[in-house]
């Protein structure tokens, strides 16, 4: 087997370790899958009656793609916690001492977390369909929307790995997790940015989460008043591609460097 083949095999071994944790702790993983569902049901019930969309569309047409994007962001918390826990307990150092690919620990985490995100999306799609949400532009467009959502998750995954390798313990991760919520809510996930005060709406529009949510709605054929409000709104698909790629270009090398110098 080539060096690349060994790296993939070792990465899958590390990913299987996480999958085994799912089997041993099903309550924890099921909660992470259904927490976005809880948010979808809660905000749909709280805000649905007060929201008016063009053409009289259901609020779920706006909300469901927004929750999809929000779930990709919330996955960041699980990545940070898992990486920090392995580092603080010495598990990562143990892996590094084994005759295995040095990239396998990080790549294995990527594989496991992307699988987790796919399951989360599948659960949310089923819930959205049960609530009356639909995509209207055909299956290829829907797959493009899901691709953008997973691209965002892949980019945020590297942010989570870098933070997890950098902070000292799980308590430090908790402080970082607090910042995830303002980033999620300061976006177009729940309401159109055009309804916000001008300065706040501008900040929300340039949130990568908003670009992905707006682009996903366009591919799904769901209404989004934010799509025509500003330049970033009309070019949401381009932004939804460029922003995650920039995050990967920044945090993937930083994560690799931090992993190599972890015990120095």
């Amino acid at each position: 087997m080539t060096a690349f083949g060994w790296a993939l095999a070792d990465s899958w071994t590390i990913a299987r370790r996480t999958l085994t944790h799912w089997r041993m702790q099903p309550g924890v993983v099921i909660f992470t899958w259904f927490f976005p569902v809880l948010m979808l049901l809660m905000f749909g019930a709280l805000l649905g009656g007060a929201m008016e969309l063009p053409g009289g569309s259901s609020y779920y047409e706006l909300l469901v793609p927004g929750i999809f994007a929000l779930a990709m962001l919330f996955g960041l918390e699980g990545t940070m916690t898992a990486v920090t826990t392995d580092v603080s307990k010495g598990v990562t150092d143990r892996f590094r001492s084994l005759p295995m690919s040095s990239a396998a620990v990080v790549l294995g985490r990527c594989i496991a977390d992307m699988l987790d995100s796919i399951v989360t999306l599948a659960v949310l799609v089923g819930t959205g369909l049960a609530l009356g949400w639909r995509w209207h532009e055909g299956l290829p467009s829907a797959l493009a929307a899901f691709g953008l959502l997973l691209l965002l998750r892949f980019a945020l995954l590297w942010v989570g790995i870098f933070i997890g390798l950098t902070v000292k313990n799980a308590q430090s991760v908790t402080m970082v997790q607090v910042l995830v919520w303002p980033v999620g809510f300061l976006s177009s996930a729940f309401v159109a940015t055009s309804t916000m005060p001008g300065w706040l709406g501008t900040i929300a529009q340039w949130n990568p989460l908003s670009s992905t949510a707006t682009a996903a709605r366009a591919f799904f054929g769901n209404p989004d008043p934010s799509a025509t409000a500003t330049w970033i709104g009309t070019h949401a698909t381009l932004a939804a591609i460029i922003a995650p790629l920039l995050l990967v270009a920044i945090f993937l090398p930083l994560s690799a460097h931090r992993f190599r110098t972890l015990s120095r």
Side-chain angles (χ1 to χ4, degrees):
M1 190 181 297
T2 64
F4 179 73
W6 278 116
L8 289 180
D10 292 341
S11 299
W12 177 240
T13 299
I14 298 298
R16 282 172 48 210
R17 168 179 174 261
T18 302
L19 300 182
T20 301
H21 289 171
W22 293 2
R23 181 171 57 84
M24 300 299 293
Q25 299 176 317
V28 175
V29 71
I30 289 175
F31 175 79
T32 63
W33 290 342
F34 282 91
F35 178 70
V37 172
L38 176 63
M39 294 199 66
L40 175 59
L41 297 175
M42 182 176 65
F43 281 95
L46 289 174
L47 303 178
M51 298 296 294
E52 295 184 4
L53 297 179
S57 301
S58 167
Y59 175 53
Y60 287 113
E61 294 279 286
L62 175 76
L63 179 63
V64 171
I67 294 296
F68 288 167
L70 201 64
M72 300 300 98
L73 174 66
F74 285 162
L76 176 69
E77 298 179 334
T79 301
M80 290 188 298
T81 301
V83 173
T84 301
T85 300
D86 282 349
V87 171
S88 63
K89 291 183 176 181
V91 176
T92 302
D93 285 335
R94 240 177 274 172
F95 283 145
R96 297 175 68 204
S97 69
L98 295 175
M100 60 188 292
S101 170
S102 59
V105 177
V106 176
L107 291 179
R109 169 55 51 186
C110 290
I111 294 171
D113 284 5
M114 290 304 293
L115 290 175
D116 177 72
S117 298
I118 291 172
V119 174
T120 300
L121 272 180
V123 172
L124 279 172
V125 168
T127 306
L129 292 173
L131 293 171
W133 168 80
R134 297 292 184 271
W135 65 72
H136 308 286
E137 297 295 330
L139 183 59
S141 291
L143 292 177
F146 291 128
L148 288 178
L149 290 163
L150 291 174
L151 176 62
L152 177 65
R153 177 67 182 103
F154 181 73
L156 293 173
L157 189 152
W158 288 104
V159 177
I161 289 176
F162 175 71
I163 295 174
L165 291 172
T166 302
V167 299
K168 300 300 183 183
N169 48 51
Q171 288 73 25
S172 301
V173 170
T174 303
M175 293 187 290
V176 178
Q177 286 175 333
V178 173
L179 301 177
V180 173
W181 289 84
V183 172
F185 282 94
L186 188 56
S187 69
S188 64
F190 301 103
V191 297
T193 56
S194 56
T195 64
M196 303 177 185
W199 64 272
L200 189 64
T202 299
I203 295 174
Q205 272 285 326
W206 284 90
N207 185 340
L209 192 72
S210 296
S211 298
T212 298
T214 299
R217 290 178 185 123
F219 279 114
F220 288 136
N222 298 145
D224 186 355
S226 303
T228 58
T230 61
W231 182 91
I232 190 67
T234 57
H235 297 80
T237 300
L238 180 63
I241 296 173
I242 292 178
L245 291 180
L246 284 176
L247 289 175
V248 172
I250 294 170
F251 285 97
L252 193 157
L254 288 176
S255 299
H257 175 73
R258 180 59 186 158
F259 181 75
R260 288 194 301 267
T261 61
L262 193 59
S263 58
R264 295 180 187 176

